[in-house]
Amino acid sequence: MKALKPLILACSLAALPVLTFAQVSVSVDTTKPGPVINKNVYGQFAEHLGTGIYEGLWVGPDSRIPNTRGWRNDVVGALKELKVPLVRWPGGCFADEYHWRDGIGARNKRPVKVNTHWGGVAEDNAVGTHEFFDLVELLGTEAYVNGNLGSGTPQEMAEWLEYMTSDTKSSLAELRRKNGRKEPYKVAYFGIGNEAWGCGGNMKPEYYAHLYNHYATFLKTPPGARPKIIASGGNDNDTKWTDVLSREAARGTDGISYHYYTLPTGVWEKKGAATGFPESEWFSTIQQTLRIDQQIKQNIAVLDKNDPQKKIGFYVDEWGTWYDVEPGTNPGFLFQRNTIRDAVVAALNFNIFHEYAERVRMTNIAQMVNVLQAMIITDKDKMLLTPTYHAYKMYIPFQDATKLPVAVDNDVAYSSNGKAVPGISATAARAKDGKVYVALVNTHPTRASDVALNVAGLNVGSVTGQVLTAEKMDAHNTFEQPQAVKPAPFSAKAADGKLTIKVPAKAVMVFAVEA
Ligand code: AHR
């Protein structure tokens, strides 16, 4: 049967009109450098949720799983290779129920609480402030600490920041020293509450703005140690939170956050499966994720009106795919598989974030390990890297790179049921190593594309990089086949002054342009 297939295909093609797609053209202009893509656009998020921290990252110092002071060596090693610039902690919804004093001092004396948001499991507070900063230092990353506005007090929040950052002889600074940390910690970002419109307190933006100003008034640090302060903003189609906060809560605010999750169906009650989905859900996932472009644009238009000096950043501090939980797992743990579709989604979002680099100065994918669109999945002592991990790794050259204008012409849309999305998405930047890097994403699950690359200001000789693709739409890594989806090397040479790149179906490509 197999041998007959090409013949059958040839016969059926002969009977059909020949479909020739014009070559897609991607033009990069190196003569017009744009803004810097802040490395923190590649930030991560680790919440006390499911096995995201406990088991996925933290196994405790007495575990048989090799660890450094409780943090598993395999996961930390893999994350170090990602050059994670920033980690947000402890939530999420968990942040507004977290009381920092529960997580300091001798671990065996810490109170055990119930994680009411996520599965109702026992939270023994083994990971607290000192453990988190140990992870931050092991990873060589920066800390984004999210404070509790929902169920805490201004005093509790102010004291946490003092505990972490004070270099004085205050009782709180001395308590930190007694608990093992002489020098102050560096808090790069501090968030005042999370999703105040929902799990953070079901507030209206005006009410939150008042509270935000109230809490922010008491957040004090030694000179030079003040973190970037974040006001917790809106989500999905909303611009109201950005509008109210950029008018009413702007003083001393470095950024307003925003959350956008990609659901294949767009419906929370039945989001769609992570694997085994039909092509219609591949398409709708791409369509849903691309909606973030308009959402960002609309929110930035509001910021441009209220903050023309561009002091306030637009921080997408939660984003990524959210599917129906994996059957048989705790629904409160938000565990889902991660396929080539997730890698394509991640790369499409990166390309969009780059377009708005002036305002989108930080984002955090949800979440780092074992939760939602994770980089890494663990099972006891085993660990695997997901396609999303590979996409992050391939995009490392874009961290702190200078954005370059890109135009995609003659694109052949990917259409389904009368709807269409772009076939090829592209981004380009000059990286810190001086080279020009280009990333291409093919959204189509079965159609490869030929892309002609033009680079103004550079005589292109060749390109070298990596391509991430797979045969099946839901191809993913398993503990049995951990390398099923991984990047492959790729290169192409110019001929007669032209460079054409074959972009496989459902692929992410990142390459350096060489003269
Ligand atoms: O990332 C999971 C949850 O999604 C976060 O805790 C919350 O902020 C959001 O609703």
Side-chain angles (χ1 to χ4, degrees):
M1 277 301 283
K2 269 195 177 153
L4 283 178
K5 264 195 176 160
L7 186 64
I8 292 167
L9 188 67
C11 295
S12 51
L13 281 181
L16 288 170
V18 180
L19 292 174
T20 48
F21 292 117
Q23 200 174 52
V24 182
S25 153
V26 170
S27 309
V28 178
D29 192 348
T30 65
T31 67
K32 296 195 178 82
V36 168
I37 300 163
N38 193 314
K39 68 177 191 312
N40 291 333
V41 162
Y42 291 87
Q44 299 280 337
F45 175 28
E47 179 167 12
H48 288 238
L49 193 176
T51 54
I53 292 187
Y54 299 117
E55 194 177 314
L57 279 154
W58 172 267
V59 286
D62 301 329
S63 171
R64 282 188 304 111
I65 298 175
N67 67 83
T68 304
R69 295 180 296 280
W71 296 107
R72 37 191 306 170
N73 292 346
D74 53 354
V75 174
V76 168
L79 291 172
K80 277 180 86 151
E81 285 187 33
L82 269 197
K83 299 201 188 304
V84 173
L86 179 75
V87 181
R88 179 179 183 229
W89 172 85
C93 293
F94 182 81
D96 279 302
E97 289 194 351
Y98 182 63
H99 300 283
W100 68 272
R101 279 193 172 80
D102 294 345
I104 57 170
R107 272 197 289 276
N108 59 4
K109 298 224 171 71
R110 295 183 191 174
V112 177
K113 297 276 179 83
V114 180
N115 190 333
T116 57
H117 273 295
W118 305 121
V121 294
E123 163 63 61
D124 67 2
N125 283 295
V127 170
T129 303
H130 291 256
E131 289 79 12
F132 170 64
F133 277 96
D134 194 23
L135 174 68
V136 162
E137 289 173 4
L138 281 172
L139 293 177
T141 188
E142 286 197 305
Y144 168 4
V145 176
N146 209 121
N148 176 351
L149 173 122
S151 68
T153 63
Q155 181 180 5
E156 183 187 2
M157 192 182 279
E159 289 183 350
W160 194 13
L161 195 58
E162 180 185 337
Y163 180 86
M164 291 186 283
T165 62
S166 179
D167 55 359
T168 68
K169 292 280 178 203
S170 78
S171 302
L172 280 168
E174 291 295 357
L175 181 60
R176 185 194 67 231
R177 292 187 189 104
K178 188 171 145 252
N179 286 333
R181 176 67 180 206
K182 192 164 163 253
E183 302 303 326
Y185 292 119
K186 182 174 179 259
V187 183
Y189 294 83
F190 191 87
I192 302 186
N194 167 72
E195 293 193 351
W197 42 265
C199 65
N202 286 306
M203 302 170 196
K204 297 272 184 277
E206 293 79 6
Y207 180 69
Y208 170 78
H210 286 300
L211 284 185
Y212 172 87
N213 287 330
H214 180 178
Y215 279 60
T217 306
F218 300 99
L219 293 180
K220 294 175 186 159
T221 61
R226 187 174 169 80
K228 291 189 191 308
I229 303 290
I230 303 171
S232 182
N235 72 332
D236 291 350
N237 277 320
D238 178 73
T239 53
K240 178 129 196 263
W241 280 76
T242 303
D243 182 33
V244 172
L245 298 183
S246 55
R247 286 187 287 104
E248 306 289 334
R251 203 153 56 89
T253 300
D254 292 277
I256 295 173
S257 71
Y258 171 81
H259 294 175
Y260 184 83
Y261 284 101
T262 298
L263 281 56
T265 62
V267 178
W268 282 97
E269 293 69 33
K270 186 92 188 91
K271 297 177 265 297
T275 55
F277 49 84
E279 192 192 326
S280 58
E281 283 187 18
W282 170 282
F283 179 85
S284 61
T285 304
I286 304 294
Q287 200 187 25
Q288 290 291 339
T289 214
L290 291 173
R291 284 182 56 232
I292 199 175
D293 193 324
Q294 272 306 312
Q295 314 301 328
I296 295 177
K297 191 187 257 174
Q298 285 164 11
N299 278 280
I300 289 180
V302 170
L303 286 177
D304 286 347
K305 178 167 60 74
N306 296 345
D307 170 43
Q309 291 171 317
K310 300 191 196 298
K311 286 192 190 146
I312 302 175
F314 189 63
Y315 297 160
V316 187
D317 69 0
E318 283 184 34
W319 66 274
T321 53
W322 194 324
Y323 306 122
D324 296 331
V325 290
E326 185 68 12
T329 63
N330 186 330
F333 282 16
L334 309 187
F335 174 74
Q336 62 190 37
R337 307 250 167 239
N338 192 298
T339 70
I340 186 69
R341 178 175 62 167
D342 293 87
V344 167
V345 164
L348 289 172
N349 279 274
F350 299 155
N351 293 2
I352 293 168
F353 297 150
H354 295 178
E355 285 307 308
Y356 300 102
E358 255 193 339
R359 286 276 192 191
V360 179
R361 302 168 200 158
M362 188 262 269
T363 90
N364 308 91
I365 191 167
Q367 298 192 1
M368 196 151 71
V369 182
N370 288 340
V371 176
L372 298 175
Q373 192 177 347
M375 308 300 111
I376 292 174
I377 293 177
T378 64
D379 182 15
K380 300 189 182 71
D381 60 341
K382 288 181 288 195
M383 169 195 94
L384 65 80
L385 307 176
T386 66
T388 299
Y389 175 97
H390 293 305
Y392 266 81
K393 194 157 178 208
M394 289 164 73
Y395 271 73
I396 286 174
F398 290 97
Q399 293 192 18
D400 281 341
T402 303
K403 166 97 178 69
L404 298 171
V406 181
V408 179
D409 294 306
N410 294 331
D411 184 38
V412 186
Y414 167 30
S415 310
S416 172
N417 281 328
K419 296 179 180 145
V421 294
I424 293 289
S425 158
T427 191
R430 191 179 286 282
K432 288 197 296 180
D433 64 6
K435 290 185 192 169
V436 171
Y437 286 83
V438 178
L440 301 175
V441 185
N442 186 350
T443 64
H444 202 289
T446 54
R447 186 187 71 206
S449 272
D450 283 336
V451 168
L453 181 72
N454 311 292
V455 186
L458 202 71
N459 208 355
V460 181
S462 62
V463 295
T464 317
Q466 290 190 311
V467 54
L468 183 66
T469 186
E471 279 297 309
K472 288 168 66 185
M473 287 186 299
D474 66 348
H476 57 282
N477 294 331
T478 60
F479 292 108
E480 293 71 43
Q481 281 193 294
Q483 309 274 347
V485 186
K486 62 172 187 183
F490 149 83
S491 62
K493 278 198 167 59
D496 303 327
K498 282 190 174 166
L499 198 138
T500 307
I501 297 157
K502 173 89 59 205
V503 188
K506 51 177 140 27
V508 178
M509 294 178 102
V510 178
F511 49 81
V513 181
E514 321 270 354

